[in-house]
Structure formats: structure tokens, C-alpha cells
Amino acid sequence: MHRLLLLSSLWLLAAPPASSIFQRPTGSPAPSRLQYLLEPLHTTVHTQRGATVTLPCVLRALPHNYRVKWSKVEPANYRESIIIITNGLYHKNYGPLSPRVRLRHSHRYDASLTITDVVLEDEGRYRCQLVNGLEDESVSLTLNLEGVVFPYQPSNGRYKFNYHEAKRACEQQDSRLATYQQLYKAWTEGLDWCNAGWILDGTVHYPIINSREPCGGRLLLPGVRSYGARDKQKDRFDAFCFTSALQGSQVYFIRGHLNFKEAGQACRNHGAAVAKVGQLYSAWKFSQLDRCDGGWLADGSVRYPITTPRQRCGGLPDPGVRSFGFPSKELRAYGTYCFVGK
């Protein structure tokens, strides 16, 4: 008997197609006032990498034969991916988030979603939908990771990445391709970069604070310039990467006159690894790492983080991560930045 009940309950949780477009069809009536779901007090939830976070979804009443479906809008293609479906008694998880999600269930009206060990890819829009015949309704929430956007190009110069290479390059530097919202926010906070770069949705942009001739001309107002969607295979640009703080991690500097290989050994001697570019940016942004010393990073570049600008540290007036580019790996002229994770 128990086996029959379980099978029949799991049948109720059968999922619709794995992905569906997350938008209301043209001409559809506007959503009616919520009858069963409570409007969340805050529609944006802030968290950090490595944390456990809960997205609230609470029912005011329990309709008969209902289901609650959680889904996430993927910024790379604007499609909706199902995460979990429950009928109040049983639930079923779907997709890559499956091992790290559960329902909070602090009481029988609680359908809130808990995500453990948050990663960069978890940021974005989520939807809690009550499926109840003709009376379906939903609430949308945004999971926000405080982070930093940085431009990235390889050792062989600018405009070398197609979209897929740019995506892979960011991931190799402990980051991901930035969304447009992240790039726009970075521009409002002072990011000024004349080279165009890929972002997560496959479009290409560059943020300008100080209008100038090589960057669209002096007559254009400051803004995020756009090349629009480009061919992901053929077109080549730089990348705009996004990274965030990681709980329990540390970046520190080892002084010396080291070549690239010696830099790696120096970090290993301390139980650490040579820091990646995203890790250095994170330490600069969230731990206020400030050093005037150039140091090797894992991609073979040499950089240093400045939070308090001063004349003898590059002379530039704004805080930032300065770069010496990609010198010969045999050159014994720099220290190294090391990373220790949790």
C-alpha cells in the first residue's frame, strides 16, 4: 500500500519539459492578485559564495491537489530550468542544482527553497510557482552575490576570444562571464574600459566613464557601449568576468625575485597555490588588499592591487588592480600572490 501511494505521489510530480520560455505570451492578461502565495517582504536576497541561503515562498492557504514548482531563469539563454517540484508530501529535484537544494519546510505552509554552498552560477532570478489548475500564480525573487567585474584578455593580446573561449577563460580565473546587470553596475561604480568584451548572454559591450576619441568619440555621453549580439564562433573580443568573495579564503603576497616556476613553488611551500586573477580582484575588492609590489598570478600575468592610490604605486588616481602584462616566465623580477581556500 505504501509503495502504491509513493508511486502515485511521484507521478503527481512529473515535470513538464526540462526547459520552457520564462515569459508571459503576448496578449495574455496580467497576473491577478495573489490568492494563495504571500508576497515576499524582499524580492532580492543577498548572499556570498560558500554560504547557505533561503529564498522565501510561503502559502497563505493550501489548495487541493496543488504543486509548487521552483525554477531559475538562465541568463545565458533566458530559459527557465526546473529545480524542484513538491506536492506538500513528496518532492523531486531536477538539474545541476539538485544536490545542493532542499525545501525548508519549517511549517506546512512553507515552500521556501534553501541552497547550500552557493556558487557564482547561482546568482540570478528564481520563480516559485503554485500550480493549481486555472489558478496558477507565482512570485519572483533575485539572488544577488556582491561581486566585482574585471576585463580579461589572454597573453597574446586583445580580441582573441570567441564567446566559448571567453567563457572558459573566466572560469579558469575563478570567475564567470558577467551579466549585463553586473557590467552596468560596475560602470556606475567607475569601470572605464575601451576594449569590447563578451558577457554571459552572448552580447558584446564596453563601459566608458571618460568619453574620448578611440572609445566612440568625445561627443558621446558616458555609458555602456554596445555591439549587440555577435557570432559566438567567429567574432573575437575580450571578456568581462565577474567574481565574488569566497568565505574562508585568503590572498597574500610573498616577496622575492622569482620567476614563474619559482613563484609556484614558493606558494606550495606555504600550503597554498598561485592566485588566479579573479581571486586577486576579490581580495582587492572585499579584503582591501593593497600592495605596491608586482606579483605573479596563475595565468602568467603580473599584477598588484591598490586600494589607496599614491604616486609611487603607478600614479593613477583611482583604486584598482594594476597590470604589468605577461612578462617572460623566466624573468626573476617579481614576488607572487598566493591563495589559500577554505
Side-chain angles (χ1 to χ4, degrees), residues 26 90 126 260:
T26 304
Y90 304 95
Y126 290 77
F260 181 70

Side-chain angles (χ1 to χ4, degrees), residues 1-140:
M1 181 67 177
H2 292 297
R3 187 169 179 270
L4 288 174
L5 283 172
L6 177 59
L7 289 173
S8 114
S9 297
L10 289 176
W11 177 83
L12 287 173
L13 303 182
S19 295
S20 54
I21 298 298
F22 182 36
Q23 60 184 25
R24 183 160 47 91
T26 304
S28 296
S32 59
R33 187 176 64 85
L34 294 176
Q35 180 180 355
Y36 292 104
L37 293 176
L38 289 175
E39 195 75 50
L41 288 175
H42 304 285
T43 57
T44 299
V45 177
H46 300 273
T47 189
Q48 289 184 316
R49 272 201 295 176
T52 295
V53 67
T54 297
L55 301 175
C57 184
V58 178
L59 285 71
R60 68 174 82 238
L62 301 177
H64 293 293
N65 300 322
Y66 75 95
R67 291 182 296 164
V68 170
K69 179 179 74 172
W70 274 99
S71 53
K72 182 177 188 290
V73 182
E74 302 300 341
N77 52 25
Y78 299 104
R79 298 182 77 85
E80 180 185 356
S81 297
I82 296 167
I83 300 170
I84 195 168
I85 299 178
T86 180
N87 64 2
L89 296 175
Y90 304 95
H91 69 273
K92 186 171 176 61
N93 292 18
Y94 298 88
L97 267 173
S98 181
R100 295 188 293 110
V101 296
R102 65 176 187 269
L103 294 169
R104 183 173 64 180
H105 268 168
S106 59
H107 52 79
R108 68 194 189 104
Y109 297 100
D110 185 14
S112 301
L113 182 73
T114 295
I115 305 173
T116 61
D117 196 20
V118 171
V119 299
L120 292 173
E121 289 75 17
D122 294 340
E123 179 170 273
R125 289 174 57 206
Y126 290 77
R127 180 164 73 142
C128 176
Q129 180 182 13
L130 176 73
V131 181
N132 183 34
L134 298 177
E135 299 179 346
D136 294 359
E137 55 189 60
S138 65
V139 294
S140 293

Side-chain angles (χ1 to χ4, degrees), residues 199-216:
I199 63 172
L200 190 58
D201 64 3
T203 57
V204 174
H205 309 267
Y206 62 101
I208 294 298
I209 297 291
N210 302 305
S211 299
R212 49 203 187 272
E213 286 305 327
C215 307

Side-chain angles (χ1 to χ4, degrees), residues 182-223:
Q182 290 164 347
L183 181 63
Y184 185 88
K185 182 175 184 288
W187 166 70
T188 67
E189 295 172 349
L191 182 59
D192 182 280
W193 195 256
C194 203
N195 293 344
W198 295 102
I199 63 172
L200 190 58
D201 64 3
T203 57
V204 174
H205 309 267
Y206 62 101
I208 294 298
I209 297 291
N210 302 305
S211 299
R212 49 203 187 272
E213 286 305 327
C215 307
R218 296 180 183 276
L219 298 180
L220 284 180
L221 293 173

